[in-house]
């Protein structure tokens, strides 16, 4: 595998259109080789598709009979009707029943609420991730490319934002805008969460801008914008994608933490964090109210983290598999084929 | 030789270092673990509270908080002393502490007489001087301040800052002192209906006098006696000793750590503060000088600050606290029952209600009485009760009066006649008939941060839509600042009913009342009249009239009283439910700890 | 250097001022400090509202009020004037007065969590890097990702439920059944065999020995009612001290280094002697005594290492100090355990607490209060630790792998240096470089996480101040919180930069 790595450098800039393709294919192959990451991607897609198919979203109709907003009469004191133990094992047979995940205290269907929670949490995660990444990339790229006073100013601005812990700014913004729904909250929070990416991208740009292919592009008369976005950025895309994934995983947890403090998405809309924190007193008495959203929060965060890890491995050829035993052997055998 | 010298120097340095280290060690040791105090017989009860303690004077505008009030209750300067309020919201006189009675109706005269044995916790006797000080604080007699709209004093003086209202006591002259400096007699110029709530024991006069630079409590009384009543029209320069005394009462009791000055801890009640770890726990021990009825069985009461309701439940389960008063939910209740604690449920004094806006500037939807009635007919009060309150308190009933709660005696009688039965059931058809095909838009304001209100809104929205209303969600976390603005058609929020007294009525139900957010004018005259009606029977008649008029005008609907839960560990007995701010502390003298 | 620090300081102050404006205006517009009063039906509501408006200058628009606030903060810069004015809370307490207590509680929590997270994270990261793609590595990777994906309050609630209440319930009748002991033994055996590695036979032996040892020790502890009267006793202390001396020498110097080995042995011996001699002193000890003893211990370790001499005195000194420190800790641990009975008595037999940071009324000597603090802080520290622990394992694992693939490591190996030297002295230091940046970011995350941990465990720290302040629209304590947190973030960033320069000779501070 290692011998397939293309040397980067001058040849790339000669035929710039081909290089991203071949490099992309290489990364793709490395990523696909990572079973955990691929399985995670598949699972995430399954969860999202299932959540949307179940209760629909906007114009898409869902197959589930209840909406997350409607109030239904209490069935079975709101206990879950989901039964997974087949009859031949002495259970009640595999069936969903009227309210598979139970109902909340005013009779809303908890299954529909959980599905809506997944949709909102994923929406929050994606919007937050994209916007924070976008701002971070632009700020980092401009600062790293132009250096000098532009860099100084932008980095001081970054420092201003960095001194405020994300949760603090989240609490303030959420306190203010929590009732406006997931996208608005995500956008506002993203405005305060781009600093990590900006710093990383700036670092990449600072070193990449000194490379020969940038010089070549500049000599060829390319504009600054073209150099930044067409020439340098594709070479820094690995850092960007990996941090974007990781920031998305943290977004789910940030939303959960905000909901716990009472500053997240607010009822009657639903997020996984809101469900789990609204029902934390049910932990001992009606655990399903607590565990269903909990399971989805942990799974989503975990899966996204796995994807991020897989992407990191795929983008960074230095993190290739190697065995210590093999390395030990190389001591007596200095002719290592690297 | 040089080598030896070097070695010598080194040795010397080493010896010196060793010596210093040994010295430092001895300086840093203690006298060994202190011998354990022989634990007294009554034992300790630990109670969870939500807020930290901030001041020994809970009657300033800034310190009027629940925990301060509870500490004050145990120290005898707030809600205890001459009388206390029991769980049925009756005023109970503590005849052992002292007596008070109305001796005449015209002019209304009330006489307070202290028990001879009564002492403060520093051993000084409780005298009429202390009552005079409490009267001076509570009446605002010496104030001559004129304030601007923002509340800043523009002319004259304001001495004592108090959270309560001066209403009532402001109509009294300087009290007459008698019975060997053990009694005072208050004469009210205008009748004061809540006279029984006046409890003239607050700060110890001898301490306040000392802090104001006066020699004794008697000197303070003499000073007060010599000063004229303040007149905003003709303000005079502030009296320096009184100003000093007032400044001490206003700010001297506010603390951020346990005071080193023992004067601040002087108590006339059953307990004396003995320790405070800010943010964590407040400790009180028995006052050995106390002679009233509320003599406790337990030796020590510790208040532990636990803001989170779930943390309170686990702390009770883990034996860290004995009594908790968490926010009630069905799950909390079941969790408590599972832990084997005693669970006491009841109603809180606060109740949620739906008010229709009579004076909305942006919509005239509720100008029409039929629309108001139609809307109220759709409110599913029983359903709301069943989902929010019944799981906690199975005996709860829908609240049917705007004036009383079921614990008050006149409630049952009033409910029979006040017309609330018109809205007992959801009547979609009736509402449709009243609407006659119209589909009015109703914007409802509520607190989106409060899960109860959110659920109430959703239930009302669902039901009202069936009758043809278009219910718009105007909820906001900033609901409280929007309340006075009037840019909504209906509002859902809560009032705290004091349980006793009637001072709140004109506040809400008179035309210019500070709490009359929905600009309702139908009961103005009666609401104002309640404040000067001294005869309890007449007062009730008046209040019933208000109650009835409000249902007739389709003012809005009371929804339910919030349910409350106490969890009590098995080792403590004697705790009883109480819905007001005093909470579980109301009968602290009946608590006992089993070994 | 000096000009660099001065420039950083100036820029930091400007950043702080700008960020405080942002924060002030955001908070002021997002929360209503009059909320509880506007919904009250008290007869003198207007007067109460006016009083609060006067107290907090609410009639001044927020951007201007920020200027007033900043004026008060600026007074803090006057040395020795004690004129700091951070405004007051809604209940008229000066923020300056309530801040120190809150700060102490939070710093205690966060520092402990940070140090433990770094130590554990780096250790586990290195071990997993050395066993890359083994069962251990995969398990640890999964567990650290899993912990990282858990919401902080969920962890806290679970810890309270199962660790605190569960352990306290266990203490009522502290008997470990044979089956439980067996299961724990199996688990420990599995962990040890994958840690130590080797061929199948060696793994099996390790598995059996460590599993059996664990299970039998547990049963022995249960039989002797150890959980009610814990203690190590002279035999265990002698054995453990010897093991420490052995292990420290093994890791830091290699057993072939005789002088280092002797240094370790001497220090273990001194610790054992100290255990017998110092008990009377311990009984009258205060925190000051313990601090002095700790310094003396480290000094003895250093001096003994120095006196041992040899070609590498630095190494001997390190071995001496680490051995002395660890052995001293064991002796202290034993003394703390002796106070366990007092703690049980003070807490009605339920020592592990779920709220607060000390038992009210449990006053006693340094041992009891230390143990009490431990019983209160363990769970919140674990809850907080898990937030950042995963990050350190991942980063140090990746860093170690990267460093190990570099040429100079190959050179070192080619020279024939032992693996221990290659890892501990060549790879370790370079692996730490990228971690310094992580620490700076992590402090912010921990302080944020403390908001939640403090809420769940009812600890009156900074997070509590912030959360309650924001909840009731109380601006000044929120800003007090912000000032401290921002200052800490800036300081740690600065320290990280300095550490970076210290570790990486290529970076120069201008």
């Amino acid at each position: 595998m290692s011998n397939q790595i293309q040397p980067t450098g001058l040849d790339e800039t000669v035929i710039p259109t081909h290089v991203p393709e071949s490099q992309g294919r290489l990364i793709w192959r490395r990523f696909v080789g990572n079973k955990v990451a691929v399985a995670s991607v598949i699972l995430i897609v399954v969860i999202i598709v299932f959540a949307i198919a179940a209760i629909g979203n906007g114009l898409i109709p869902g197959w589930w009979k209840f909406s997350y907003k409607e109030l239904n009469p209490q069935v079975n004191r709101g206990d879950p009707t989901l039964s997974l133990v087949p009859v031949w094992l002495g259970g009640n047979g595999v069936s969903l029943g009227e309210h598979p995940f139970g109902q909340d205290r005013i009779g809303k269907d908890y299954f529909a609420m959980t599905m809506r929670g997944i949709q909102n949490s994923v929406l929050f995660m994606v919007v937050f991730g994209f916007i924070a990444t976008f701002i971070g990339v632009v700020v980092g790229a401009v600062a790293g490319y132009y250096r000098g006073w532009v860099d100084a100013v932008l980095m001081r601005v970054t420092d201003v934002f960095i001194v405020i812990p994300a949760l603090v700014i989240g609490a303030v913004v959420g306190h203010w805008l929590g009732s406006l729904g997931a996208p608005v909250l995500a956008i506002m929070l993203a405005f305060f969460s781009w600093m990590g990416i900006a710093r990383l991208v700036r670092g990449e740009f600072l070193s990449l801008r000194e490379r020969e292919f940038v010089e070549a592009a500049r000599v060829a008369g390319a504009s600054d914008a073209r150099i930044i976005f067409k020439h340098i950025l594709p070479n820094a895309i690995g850092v960007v994608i990996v941090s974007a994934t990781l920031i998305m995983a943290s977004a789910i947890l940030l939303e959960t933490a905000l909901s716990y403090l009472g500053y997240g998405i607010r009822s009657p809309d639903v997020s996984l964090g809101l469900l789990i924190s609204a029902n934390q007193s049910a932990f001992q008495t009606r655990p399903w109210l607590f565990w269903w959203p909990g399971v989805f929060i942990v799974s989503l965060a975990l899966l996204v983290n796995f994807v991020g890890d897989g992407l990191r491995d795929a983008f960074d050829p230095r993190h290739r598999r190697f065995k210590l035993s093999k390395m030990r052997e190389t001591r007596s055998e200095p002719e290592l084929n690297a | 030789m040089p080598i030896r010298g070097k070695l010598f120097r080194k040795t010397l340095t080493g010896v010196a270092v060793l010596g210093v280290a040994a010295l430092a060690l001895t300086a840093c040791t203690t006298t060994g673990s202190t011998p354990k105090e022989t634990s007294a017989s009554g034992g300790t009860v630990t109670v969870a509270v939500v807020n930290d303690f901030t001041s020994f004077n809970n009657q300033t505008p800034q310190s009027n908080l629940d925990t301060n009030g509870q500490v004050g209750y145990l120290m005898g300067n707030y809600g205890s002393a001459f009388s206390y309020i029991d769980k049925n919201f009756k005023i109970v006189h503590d005849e052992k502490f002292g007596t008070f009675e109305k001796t005449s109706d015209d002019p209304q005269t009330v006489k307070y007489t202290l028990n001879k044995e009564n002492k403060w916790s520093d051993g000084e006797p409780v005298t009429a001087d202390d009552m005079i000080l409490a009267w001076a604080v509570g009446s605002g007699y010496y104030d001559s301040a004129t304030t601007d709209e923002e509340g800043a004093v523009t002319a004259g003086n304001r001495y004592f800052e108090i959270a309560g209202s001066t209403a009532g006591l402001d109509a009294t002259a300087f009290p007459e002192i008698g019975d060997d400096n053990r009694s005072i007699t208050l004469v009210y110029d205008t009748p004061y209906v809540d006279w029984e709530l006046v409890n003239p024991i607050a700060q110890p006069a001898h301490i306040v006098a000392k802090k104001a630079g006066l020699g004794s409590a008697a000197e303070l009384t003499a000073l007060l006696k010599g000063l004229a009543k303040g007149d905003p029209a003709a303000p005079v320069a502030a009296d320096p000793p009184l100003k000093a005394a007032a400044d001490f009462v206003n700010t001297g009791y506010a603390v951020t750590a346990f005071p080193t000055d023992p004067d601040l801890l002087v108590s006339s009640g059953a307990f004396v503060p003995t320790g405070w770890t800010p943010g964590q726990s407040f400790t009180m021990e028995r006052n050995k000088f106390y002679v009233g009825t509320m003599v406790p069985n337990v030796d020590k009461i510790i208040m532990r600050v636990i803001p989170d309701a779930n943390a309170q439940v686990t702390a009770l389960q883990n034996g860290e606290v004995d009594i908790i008063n968490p926010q009630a939910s069905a799950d909390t209740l079941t969790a408590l029952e599972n832990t084997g604690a005693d669970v006491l449920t009841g109603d809180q004094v606060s109740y949620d209600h739906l008010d229709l806006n009579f004076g909305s500037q942006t919509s005239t939807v509720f100008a029409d009485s039929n629309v108001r009635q139609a809307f109220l007919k759709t409110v599913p009060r029983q359903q709301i009760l069943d989902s929010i309150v019944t799981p906690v308190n199975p005996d709860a009933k829908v609240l049917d009066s705007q004036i009383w709660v079921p614990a008050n005696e006149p409630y049952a009688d009033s409910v029979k006649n006040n017309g609330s039965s018109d809205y007992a059931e959801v009547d979609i058809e009736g509402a449709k008939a009243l609407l006659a095909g119209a589909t009015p838009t109703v914007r409802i304001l509520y607190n989106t941060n409060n899960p109860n209100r959110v659920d109430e809104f959703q239930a009302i929205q669902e039901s009202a839509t069936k009758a043809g209303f278009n219910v718009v969600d105007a909820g906001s976390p900033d609901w409280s600042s929007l309340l006075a603005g009037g840019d909504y058609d209906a509002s859902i929020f809560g009032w705290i009913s004091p349980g006793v007294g009637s001072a709140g009525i004109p506040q809400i139900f008179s035309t210019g009342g500070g709490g009359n957010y929905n600009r309702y004018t139908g009961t103005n005259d009666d609401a104002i009249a309640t404040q000067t009606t001294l005869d309890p029977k007449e007062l009730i008649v008046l209040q019933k009239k208000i109650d009835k008029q409000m249902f007739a005008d389709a003012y809005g609907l009371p929804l339910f009283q919030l349910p409350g839960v106490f969890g009590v560990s098995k080792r403590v007995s004697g705790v009883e439910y109480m819905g007001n701010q005093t909470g579980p502390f109301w009968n602290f003298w009946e608590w006992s700890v089993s070994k | 250097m000096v000009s660099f620090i001065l420039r950083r300081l100036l820029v930091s102050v400007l950043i702080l001022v700008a960020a405080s404006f942002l924060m002030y205006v955001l908070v002021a517009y997002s929360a209503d400090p009059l909320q509880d009063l506007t919904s009250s039906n008290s007869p003198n509501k207007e007067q109460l509202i006016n009083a609060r408006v006067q107290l907090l200058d609410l009639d001044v628009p927020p951007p201007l009020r920020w200027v007033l606030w900043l004026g008060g903060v600026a007074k803090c810069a006057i040395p020795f004037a004690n004129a700091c004015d951070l405004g007051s809370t809604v209940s008229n307490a000066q923020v300056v007065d309530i801040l120190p207590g809150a700060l102490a509680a939070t710093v205690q929590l966060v520092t402990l969590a940070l140090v433990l997270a770094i130590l554990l994270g780096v250790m586990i990261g290195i071990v997993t890097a050395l066993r890359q793609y083994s069962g251990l590595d995969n398990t640890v990777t999964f567990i650290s990702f899993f912990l990282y994906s858990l919401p902080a309050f969920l962890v806290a609630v679970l810890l309270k439920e199962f660790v605190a209440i569960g352990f306290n319930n266990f203490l009522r009748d502290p008997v470990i059944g044979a089956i439980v002991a067996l299961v724990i033994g199996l688990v420990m055996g599995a962990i040890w065999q994958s840690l130590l590695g080797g061929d199948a036979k060696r793994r099996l032996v390790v598995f059996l020995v460590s599993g059996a040892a664990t299970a039998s020790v547990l049963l022995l502890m249960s039989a002797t009612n150890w959980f009610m009267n814990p203690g190590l006793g002279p035999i265990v202390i002698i054995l453990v001290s010897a093991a420490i001396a052995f292990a420290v020498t093994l890791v830091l110097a290699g057993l072939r280094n005789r002088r280092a080995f002797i240094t370790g042995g001497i220090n273990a011996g001194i610790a054992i002697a100290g255990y017998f001699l110092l008990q009377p002193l311990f009984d009258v000890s205060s925190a000051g005594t313990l601090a002095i003893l700790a310094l003396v211990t480290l000094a003895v370790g250093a001096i003994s290492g120095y006196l041992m001499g040899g070609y590498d005195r630095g190494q001997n000194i390190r071995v001496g100090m680490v051995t002395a420190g660890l052995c001293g800790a064991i002796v202290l641990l034993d003394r703390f355990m002796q106070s366990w009975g007092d703690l049980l008595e003070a807490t009605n037999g339920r020592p592990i607490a779920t709220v607060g940071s000390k038992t009210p009324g449990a006053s006693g000597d340094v041992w009891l209060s230390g143990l009490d603090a431990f019983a209160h802080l363990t769970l919140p520290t674990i809850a907080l630790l898990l937030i950042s622990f995963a990050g350190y394992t991942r980063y140090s694992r990746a860093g170690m792998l990267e460093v190990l693939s570099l040429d100079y490591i190959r050179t070192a190996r080619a020279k024939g240096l032992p693996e221990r030297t290659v890892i501990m002295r060549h790879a370790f230091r370079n692996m730490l470089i990228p971690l310094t940046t992580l620490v700076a970011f992590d402090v912010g995350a921990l302080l944020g996480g403390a908001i939640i941990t403090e809420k769940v465990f009812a600890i009156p720290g900074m997070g509590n101040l912030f959360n309650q302040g924001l909840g009731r629209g109380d601006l000044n304590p929120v800003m007090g919180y912000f000032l401290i947190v921002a200052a800490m973030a800036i300081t740690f960033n600065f320290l990280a930069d300095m550490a970076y320069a210290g570790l990486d000779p290529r970076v120069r501070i201008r």
Side-chain angles (χ1 to χ4, degrees), chain B residues 21 24-25 28-34 36-37 46 50-51 54 61-65 148-152 158 161-166 250-251 254-256 277-281 283 300 302 304-308 310-312 314-315 317-321 351 447 477-481 483 493-498 503-504 507-508 514-517 571, chain C residues 29-32 34-55 59 89-94 97-98 157 160-161 164-165 168-169 281 283-290 292-293 296 306 342 345 347-348 350-361 363-365 376 455-460 464 468 472:
Chain B
L25 261 184
C28 282
T29 51
T30 60
T31 50
S33 51
T34 44
K36 292 211 173 55
E37 294 164 35
T46 311
V50 169
N51 293 308
T54 66
Q62 289 82 27
S63 66
N64 184 22
L65 304 168
D148 64 10
E149 242 171 59
E150 250 95 51
R158 184 191 287 153
E161 307 268 354
I162 56 169
S165 162
T166 56
N250 291 342
T251 58
V255 287
T256 51
T277 312
Q280 299 215 39
S281 61
T283 310
K300 211 192 234 184
I302 298 175
R304 267 203 106 168
V305 184
I306 309 177
D308 187 58
N310 294 301
Q312 289 196 0
T314 14
Q317 200 177 352
N318 200 25
E320 287 165 85
V321 294
Y351 61 97
N447 179 4
D478 288 330
W479 65 283
S480 63
S481 53
L483 205 50
F493 62 106
W495 285 133
I496 295 171
S497 154
Q507 193 60 23
I508 308 176
N516 187 355
Y517 295 114
R571 56 185 284 272
Chain C
Y29 282 117
S30 73
D32 176 14
L34 298 174
Q35 183 166 325
D36 55 323
L37 292 179
T38 37
S39 61
S40 120
N41 52 344
S42 135
N44 57 336
K45 191 171 84 179
E46 296 302 319
Q47 187 198 332
L48 294 179
I49 291 179
N50 284 337
R52 191 171 293 173
V53 168
Q54 289 298 311
L55 176 72
D59 44 350
T89 65
V90 166
S91 54
N92 202 15
Q94 289 297 312
D97 293 335
I98 54 177
V157 169
K160 272 167 111 167
E161 205 64 47
I165 295 181
N168 286 338
N169 285 344
L281 176 64
D283 286 343
V284 294
S285 284
S286 68
T289 326
L290 297 188
I292 293 173
L293 283 179
V296 170
Y306 178 82
D342 293 345
E345 197 179 319
T347 55
N348 293 326
R350 300 188 72 87
I352 306 293
T354 61
V355 289
S357 58
K358 67 181 225 182
T359 307
S363 58
D365 53 11
H376 278 84
K455 181 173 171 185
V456 180
F457 288 100
I459 294 171
N464 204 26
Q468 293 203 335
R472 63 167 81 121

Side-chain angles (χ1 to χ4, degrees), chain B residues 257-495:
Chain B
F258 192 69
T260 47
D261 178 2
D263 288 347
L264 297 187
L265 307 176
V266 174
S267 148
S268 65
F271 280 90
V272 193
T274 54
W276 178 34
T277 312
Q280 299 215 39
S281 61
F282 190 89
T283 310
M284 302 185 86
E285 286 174 44
R286 281 168 91 133
N287 173 8
K288 54 178 191 275
F289 291 101
Y290 179 72
V291 295
T293 318
M294 310 173 191
V295 179
N297 297 317
V298 298
D299 296 317
K300 211 192 234 184
I301 291 180
I302 298 175
M303 300 180 186
R304 267 203 106 168
V305 184
I306 309 177
D308 187 58
N310 294 301
Q312 289 196 0
V313 177
T314 14
L316 180 74
Q317 200 177 352
N318 200 25
E320 287 165 85
V321 294
D322 300 310
I323 302 174
I324 61 172
N325 178 12
Q327 212 178 3
S329 79
D331 293 311
T332 314
L333 195 73
T334 326
L336 277 175
E337 277 162 358
N338 291 350
T339 63
D342 290 326
V343 181
L344 312 173
T345 57
D347 297 321
Q348 290 184 36
V349 285
S350 58
Y351 61 97
D352 279 18
H353 53 96
L354 168 79
D355 293 350
L356 305 187
N357 193 350
F358 286 70
S360 168
Q361 293 122 349
T362 46
S363 157
T364 53
V365 55
F366 282 142
D368 180 356
S369 167
N370 279 344
V371 180
R372 291 202 300 270
Q373 284 177 20
F375 187 70
L376 296 188
K377 276 182 189 298
T378 66
V379 178
R381 296 198 295 159
Q382 188 63 42
Q383 183 199 333
I384 293 171
L385 184 87
D386 284 345
S387 53
I388 296 175
V389 186
T390 314
V392 182
N393 183 4
D395 304 330
K397 292 208 169 57
V398 167
L399 189 62
D400 272 331
S401 164
Q402 298 274 14
I403 305 277
W404 286 291
V405 293
N408 300 127
E409 232 165 41
Y411 175 83
D413 204 33
S414 182
V415 166
K416 273 183 213 150
N417 305 314
N418 66 4
S420 60
S421 52
D422 294 354
Y423 305 105
E425 302 282 331
V426 177
D427 181 6
I428 301 292
E429 292 312 313
K432 275 186 181 161
L434 282 169
L435 281 181
T439 57
T441 297
V442 177
R443 294 162 301 154
I444 303 186
L445 177 71
Y446 64 97
N447 179 4
T448 47
N449 278 342
N450 183 326
N452 283 350
R453 309 271 157 76
V454 176
D455 287 353
E456 287 157 30
F457 168 75
Q458 289 180 60
I460 293 172
Q461 183 185 40
E462 166 118 351
S463 176
T465 309
K466 286 183 197 152
F469 281 98
N470 174 24
V471 178
V472 176
D473 183 350
S476 159
D478 288 330
W479 65 283
S480 63
S481 53
L482 301 172
L483 205 50
D487 188 16
Y488 55 89
D489 303 315
S491 55
I492 309 171
F493 62 106
W495 285 133

Side-chain angles (χ1 to χ4, degrees), chain B residues 140-147 153-161 227-240 242-243 246-247 250:
Chain B
Y141 184 81
Y142 302 100
D143 289 354
S144 57
T146 321
T147 55
V153 176
T154 51
N157 317 298
R158 184 191 287 153
Y159 291 103
F160 298 98
E161 307 268 354
L227 284 175
K229 184 175 166 64
D231 181 3
V236 291
D239 179 66
L242 180 59
K243 188 78 194 149
D247 285 347
N250 291 342

Side-chain angles (χ1 to χ4, degrees), chain A residues 258-282:
Chain A
L258 286 180
S259 290
Y260 173 72
L261 294 174
Y263 307 126
I265 289 167
R266 293 204 185 90
S267 184
D269 211 339
V270 176
S271 76
L272 291 177
L274 181 67
L275 287 180
I276 194 173
S277 54
N279 291 304
Q280 46 164 329
S281 61

Side-chain angles (χ1 to χ4, degrees), chain A residues 156 159 163-165 167-168 175-176 253 257 260 263 283-284 290 302 305-306 309 318 322 324 331, chain C residues 11 15 23 26 30 130 132 145 148-149 154 158 161 394 401-402 413 448 452 456 467 481-482 485 490:
Chain A
R156 291 300 81 78
D159 285 344
V163 292
I164 314 174
L167 193 61
V168 172
H175 190 78
W176 206 10
L253 298 176
Y260 173 72
Y263 307 126
F283 176 64
Q284 292 173 313
F290 189 77
L302 192 59
N305 267 323
F306 277 136
D309 203 47
R318 282 174 303 181
F322 88 114
L324 190 72
R331 255 186 290 165
Chain C
V11 171
I15 287 173
M23 187 78 183
L26 273 176
S30 73
L130 297 180
Q132 198 193 13
F145 270 133
Y148 189 63
S149 308
L154 183 67
L158 295 182
E161 205 64 47
R394 298 309 296 160
L401 286 178
E402 187 172 339
R413 287 198 173 116
I452 287 178
V456 180
N467 198 25
Y481 167 85
F482 167 79
V485 167
I490 288 175

Side-chain angles (χ1 to χ4, degrees), chain C residues 193-419:
Chain C
Q193 64 84 14
S194 79
L195 261 179
L196 295 179
D199 55 14
K201 194 180 152 199
R202 183 177 149 175
R203 278 167 182 264
L204 186 70
V205 170
V206 170
F207 174 75
L208 287 178
V209 169
S210 60
T214 311
S216 51
V217 165
L218 281 177
L219 288 175
L220 187 70
M221 284 160 102
S222 164
T224 54
N225 205 11
W226 190 86
F227 293 100
M228 300 307 277
N229 307 299
L232 298 176
I235 302 170
V236 176
I237 288 201
I238 291 172
L239 288 179
V240 172
S241 300
I244 287 173
F246 185 79
V248 169
T249 320
L250 179 69
V251 172
L252 291 182
L255 288 178
R256 267 179 246 159
N257 188 334
R258 289 278 303 281
R259 288 176 194 271
F261 194 53
I262 294 171
T263 312
I266 288 176
N267 281 293
I270 294 177
I272 293 166
Y275 165 72
F276 289 107
L277 296 175
L278 291 178
Q279 293 297 333
L281 176 64
F282 283 159
D283 286 343
V284 294
S285 284
S286 68
T289 326
L290 297 188
I292 293 173
L293 283 179
L295 286 179
V296 170
T297 310
L298 291 179
V300 166
I303 292 169
S304 63
Y306 178 82
L307 293 179
M308 240 339 122
Y311 72 95
D312 194 351
R313 271 191 166 152
Q315 196 175 51
N316 285 347
I317 291 176
R318 276 201 296 279
V319 169
M321 286 175 77
V322 173
T323 315
L326 289 178
C327 291
I330 293 291
V331 174
L332 271 193
L333 179 68
D334 175 75
R335 183 56 186 80
F336 271 114
M337 283 178 169
Q338 291 172 31
S339 286
W340 185 247
D342 293 345
L343 182 67
L344 284 178
E345 197 179 319
T347 55
N348 293 326
R350 300 188 72 87
I352 306 293
T354 61
V355 289
S357 58
K358 67 181 225 182
T359 307
S363 58
D365 53 11
V366 61
W367 307 103
L368 178 59
S369 50
L371 209 54
D372 188 46
F374 171 78
H376 278 84
L377 288 178
T378 310
L379 296 190
T381 306
I382 294 177
L384 200 52
L385 163 76
L386 294 182
I387 297 175
S388 49
F389 164 73
Y392 288 108
T393 57
R394 298 309 296 160
Y395 274 88
S396 51
R397 176 179 176 273
M400 198 61 171
L401 286 178
E402 187 172 339
V403 170
L404 283 181
S405 66
L406 292 179
D407 289 343
Y408 78 95
I409 293 290
R410 202 174 305 135
T411 317
R413 287 198 173 116
K415 278 199 298 198
L417 287 181
E419 189 66 19

